[in-house]
Amino acid sequence: MSKKMLIKIVTGVVIIACVLPPILLGGIPMECLIGFVAACSAYEISSLSDQKPHYIRAVLLFAVIEIMGHMNDLQVPFAASLFMTLLFLTHFCDRSFSEDQLAYTFLVTMILVFAVHGIYRIYAVQKGWGMMFVALATYLCDTGAYFFGSFFGKHKMAPRISPNKTWEGAIGGYLAGALGAYLWGRYLCPAFPQYLVLCGALVLPAVGEIGDLAFSSIKRRFEIKDFGSLLPGHGGILDRVDSLLFCLMMFNGLMMIWGL
């Protein structure tokens, strides 16, 4: 086993040990975890173009994520329009804040906001077990894609965006995520209607892979390898939660369709 792989595995184990208790406990521990992810993500978003510290911008983005994440659905459109207006004002006043930075700052921040909304809706219905359903659909797919791609990958999936991803890895990862999530939801999430569990298990792994490619595309646009370096072998926080953010948004929408 290479040193790089060992670091990646050790970091992954530490991440699981740190996030699993808050996810299962919910309440204040989960709020602290959300706050930590929001703070780190805000810093990484604010440093997209040059990876230099932009502390004031990061603090403001953190406040936006936390405030909008706790708003009800009817308040979000007004808050989003105000946020966009302030971003354009910043662009007009600060020539170093480019159009690309403005667009991607708004986009990624709103993805985080909608993901946080999804978390609160999940906890209101099925608490930590429901959150684990989404997490398993995401990360079993991610892990399966890595191993299937490593052993069987031959056909490149999106070489322009992510040269290492293969169709074999994507298919293997999808099957692992779908099967694992369905079994978890079927037997451990009784508050979720069974057709919602089935639909979520079929849809979320594919959405997670799209989310991974979407964030890879952003990194390509800004010519950066990772969003940060907080997690050895994994990059930054956004590098770890990119797929999960998309899955949380999607499952939030599915829960709305099922009237939850």
Side-chain angles (χ1 to χ4, degrees):
M1 182 184 298
S2 67
K3 182 179 179 181
K4 182 178 179 181
M5 176 57 67
L6 181 61
I7 292 173
K8 190 179 183 74
I9 292 175
V10 171
T11 303
V13 171
V14 172
I15 292 173
I16 292 172
C18 290
V19 304
L20 196 56
I23 287 176
L24 296 177
L25 291 172
I28 294 177
M30 189 61 191
E31 289 281 359
C32 292
L33 179 60
I34 293 172
F36 175 76
V37 171
C40 294
S41 299
Y43 177 80
E44 292 173 6
I45 295 169
S46 70
S47 308
L48 264 180
S49 63
D50 49 22
Q51 296 287 280
K52 293 180 180 178
H54 294 280
Y55 297 113
I56 295 177
R57 197 180 300 168
V59 170
L60 293 175
L61 290 178
F62 170 71
V64 168
I65 296 169
E66 280 291 302
I67 293 171
M68 291 184 65
H70 286 83
M71 288 181 173
N72 63 50
D73 294 336
L74 296 177
Q75 294 171 323
V76 170
F78 170 73
S81 63
L82 178 60
F83 176 45
M84 179 177 286
T85 302
L86 292 175
L87 285 177
F88 271 104
L89 181 61
T90 302
H91 170 61
F92 298 148
C93 297
D94 183 359
R95 299 180 66 178
S96 67
F97 188 60
S98 68
E99 291 88 348
D100 274 3
Q101 286 176 283
L102 185 156
Y104 284 110
T105 296
F106 180 78
L107 175 64
V108 179
T109 302
M110 292 308 300
I111 288 173
L112 281 155
V113 168
F114 292 138
V116 172
H117 273 255
I119 292 173
Y120 290 133
R121 192 179 296 275
I122 290 169
Y123 273 91
V125 176
Q126 187 60 79
K127 301 191 183 299
W129 301 107
M131 185 67 187
M132 284 296 299
F133 171 76
V134 179
L136 286 172
T138 304
Y139 291 114
L140 285 179
C141 178
D142 185 54
T143 303
Y146 178 82
F147 284 104
F148 274 90
S150 297
F151 289 105
F152 306 108
K154 293 182 179 180
H155 301 88
K156 298 296 183 182
M157 182 179 180
R160 181 178 61 84
I161 299 173
S162 187
N164 294 326
K165 295 189 185 304
T166 63
W167 282 108
E168 291 83 359
I171 294 171
Y174 173 83
L175 294 175
L179 179 60
Y182 177 74
L183 292 176
W184 182 277
R186 174 71 175 81
Y187 295 106
L188 295 175
C189 297
F192 288 160
Q194 287 306 304
Y195 282 111
L196 172 60
V197 170
L198 178 61
C199 184
L202 292 175
V203 170
L204 294 185
V207 170
E209 292 187 322
I210 293 172
D212 187 26
L213 287 173
F215 276 73
S216 293
S217 178
I218 294 174
K219 288 187 284 187
R220 286 280 176 183
R221 179 67 186 87
F222 287 97
E223 298 180 341
I224 57 176
K225 183 180 183 296
D226 297 310
F227 285 101
S229 57
L230 179 65
L231 307 173
H234 293 260
I237 291 294
L238 287 174
D239 295 291
R240 270 294 81 211
V241 302
D242 48 8
S243 301
L244 181 62
L245 297 176
F246 270 67
C247 287
L248 286 168
M249 288 194 302
M250 178 59 67
F251 196 65
N252 185 26
L254 292 176
M255 291 180 70
M256 289 181 179
I257 292 174
W258 259 266
L260 299 178

